[in-house]
Amino acid sequence: MTRRLPSSTYRIQFSKDATLTDAVGLVPYLDALGVGGLYASPLLQSGAGSNHGYDVVDPTRVSDERGGEEGRKALVAAVREHGLQFVLDIVPNHVGVEVPKANPWWWDVLRLGQASPYASYFDIDWAAGPILLPILDADEEKALSELAVEGDELRYYEHAVPVAPGTGEGTAQEVHERQHYRLVSWKRGAAELTYRRFFDVSTLAAVRVEVPEVFEATHREVLRWVEAGDVDGIRVDHPDGLSDPGAYARRLRAAIGPDRWLLVEKILGVGEELPPSWPVDGTSGYEALRELQGVFVDPDGAGLLTQLAAEHTGGRQALHAAEHDARREVADTILAAEVRRIAALVPVPEAAPSTDPDPGPAADRVRTAVAELLCGFPVYRSYLPEGRAALDTAVSVARTHRPDLADVLEVIHSTMLAEPHGELATRVQQTSGMVMAKGVEDTAFYRWNRFVALNEVGGDPSRFGVSPTEFHMAMAAREASWPVTMTTLSTHDTKRSEDVRARLAVLAEIPGEWAERLRRWSARHPLPERSMELMAWQNLVGAWPISVERMASYLGKATKEAKLATSHVEAVPEVDEAVAAWPAAVMADAELVAEIEEFVQRLALPGRVNSLGQKLLQLAGPGVPDVYQGTELFEYSLVDPDNRRPVDWEARRSLLARLDEGWLPDIDADGAAKLLVTLSGLRLRRYRPELFRGYRPVPAEGPAAAHAVAFARSSSLVAVATRLPVGLEARGGWGDTVLPLPGAAGDWHDIVTDTPVDGSAPALGTLLARYPVALLVRPA
């Protein structure tokens, strides 16, 4: 049987405000756009009001808020009627427990403890005593006095937890002491939690899908859809949290069969490859995002922007040092419970420094060694016995930072290698990814703000862009090794949308102009912390125009993630108030707003040139491109929840209808030019898939050759985009630069503008006269 994979996907975020029934009405538009498959966010029953679906509370049924089973069947029928495929996002690592009663398994475990048939479903440290539930106010003693018993429930304001059978007599406090859990202050969760969770989110409890019974229970409903032929592909959320991601992938592949598309949300470091033993088709595409965006960043801007950041913050710290500091901070604070649980597994010899009458110092040494090891991994994690090099590097880095802990590190290292599937190895590897995600993506990437366009999931901000040579090597490698992996430019998890990053990339071409404005604007409207200012002004111009409310919401989250002047755990009210007031103050300054608008106008057109370029290269390049909802037009969003705002579908339908009448729009704010490029790529992939085979660079020749990036996929398809548009304009345009096309053929046609190409080596000034991109094909 020949595998039938989608030519492309279109990601839809389902919620109570964007239901399965709503999506039925969208399918004709997606079909007309040229999309190959609808890619759905998680659809199982999740927490009430969830705008993402990653907090599944009942994996045995479809979310009622999203439309239930009836809505799911109707959507699948519509997708099939239009010849599209259906790709589903699933969440095997954890379930939502914020409202215990909403999750039948968790409720039963709280009620019956280890006697519950679901006790083994969760990764709970039963030896540590009752399950700690960090839901009380900071003043724990006062909060405990406010407990009340109502029927067979113990209540704390809106929180309700079950009372075990036969334990309901007496005061609420006496009843509480008899339960299989203890309610504690929310501040104690980080250091004392006794169940594994998703990162530091105590309301997402990890489940043990490595146990066959748990795999079957958590996947039964989704696999029923697969068996019925309703699902063509699966994307697995956060595989690195699992105890054995490779074994999970093999079990899932066996369950869905060899022909369905299987992707994992694996965040790869630069140069890292998926483990070869995983029977998957690729990742969700963050490594492609780095390459596709990076080739539009001018490396010559690095020097001035680095100097600006150092001057503005009063220090020059290498990214690797900033990342290590941030990783140690999260290991010592919000992930301290995980570190403590690992440390208890380390078989420290009796002769180790336990000669001290106080066992504390010995235990502290082990905890510190564990924390240092977790901070030393060059990538998210290893998968012993695969990926040993990452563990070896982590040990070496940890020994460099703390040579005095070499003995403990050696014990951990040797034990993990001797027992690669043992509990110590398993928990170290699960937790190193948590430390990387929370320490780097969610801390350092909010602190190290030299050039925030690069501070993206799967990115490496220390590498200032991607050279055309590196870009072509990466594309060729993808075609050779992972030809049907997903590629992406925007997701529900990106820190900034593709178009914000494309506009910010222009700053690398005009660093001097940016530096002058940043200094002046920061002096006029300062923030409590200097790196905060670098971040705030870049995001403001990147997402402009933006409302006071959206900017305030973003800054409130970003400054707390940075954990420098305030944080989620240790909020500093005066800092939070100053940050919250900043957007309104800036936007009330009419003179400054006029300056901002003038500068954004300077960035706007070259930013759109970058947007069109990266979109075309994604759509034409190796892999299966995903379009995140709404991004077929220019879309300037920041981190969630900003990137989950409602999409204006009617505007998109209207523009698509005009384009189908032959309209060639200007490259302006309404985004029709981006829609034109998107539909050109999507339709070609869907209706002429044979063109998208192979890969080779197509170098331009002439004085402006460095401003073109082009490649051929087959002998009949060439994609070309403009890079560094400010520099191109400054040098007077393309001049006599040409693009020699493969095969010396003279029958090429640009499908973006629907015009024939002049000869086999067209002048780029002519080829790209209407748009800064072209998608060239030869007749079938």
Side-chain angles (χ1 to χ4, degrees), residues 231-245:
V231 175
D232 303 291
I234 285 178
R235 178 264 200 191
V236 176
D237 180 64
H238 188 48
D240 277 350
L242 305 178
S243 67
D244 188 343

Side-chain angles (χ1 to χ4, degrees), residues 243-362:
S243 67
D244 188 343
Y248 171 82
R250 290 185 284 275
R251 179 172 283 155
L252 183 59
R253 171 58 82 193
I256 68 173
D259 297 320
R260 286 185 175 83
W261 201 32
L262 180 57
L263 304 167
V264 288
E265 187 213 19
K266 168 64 189 165
I267 314 300
L268 294 170
V270 178
E272 184 186 9
E273 293 281 345
L274 280 171
S277 70
W278 292 12
V280 301
D281 293 299
T283 72
S284 51
Y286 288 110
E287 67 280 4
L289 183 158
R290 183 191 75 86
E291 298 148 5
L292 289 160
Q293 177 208 331
V295 77
F296 294 93
V297 172
D298 187 351
D300 290 346
L304 262 177
L305 291 178
T306 301
Q307 181 181 338
L308 172 66
E311 288 176 359
H312 199 77
T313 59
R316 188 190 294 259
Q317 186 180 33
L319 178 63
H320 69 83
E323 289 182 348
H324 186 271
D325 289 350
R327 288 162 81 175
R328 264 314 300 262
E329 185 173 328
V330 301
D332 292 342
T333 54
I334 60 176
L335 297 178
E338 285 74 11
V339 171
R340 179 177 279 104
R341 193 168 179 184
I342 293 169
L345 300 169
V346 177
V348 179
E350 288 300 318
S354 51
T355 48
D356 192 304
D358 174 11

Side-chain angles (χ1 to χ4, degrees), residues 36-61:
L38 188 154
Y39 168 28
S41 63
L43 295 180
L44 295 170
Q45 180 76 0
S46 59
S50 170
N51 71 355
H52 50 79
Y54 291 96
D55 53 344
V56 173
V57 296
D58 185 352
T60 68
R61 60 194 176 104

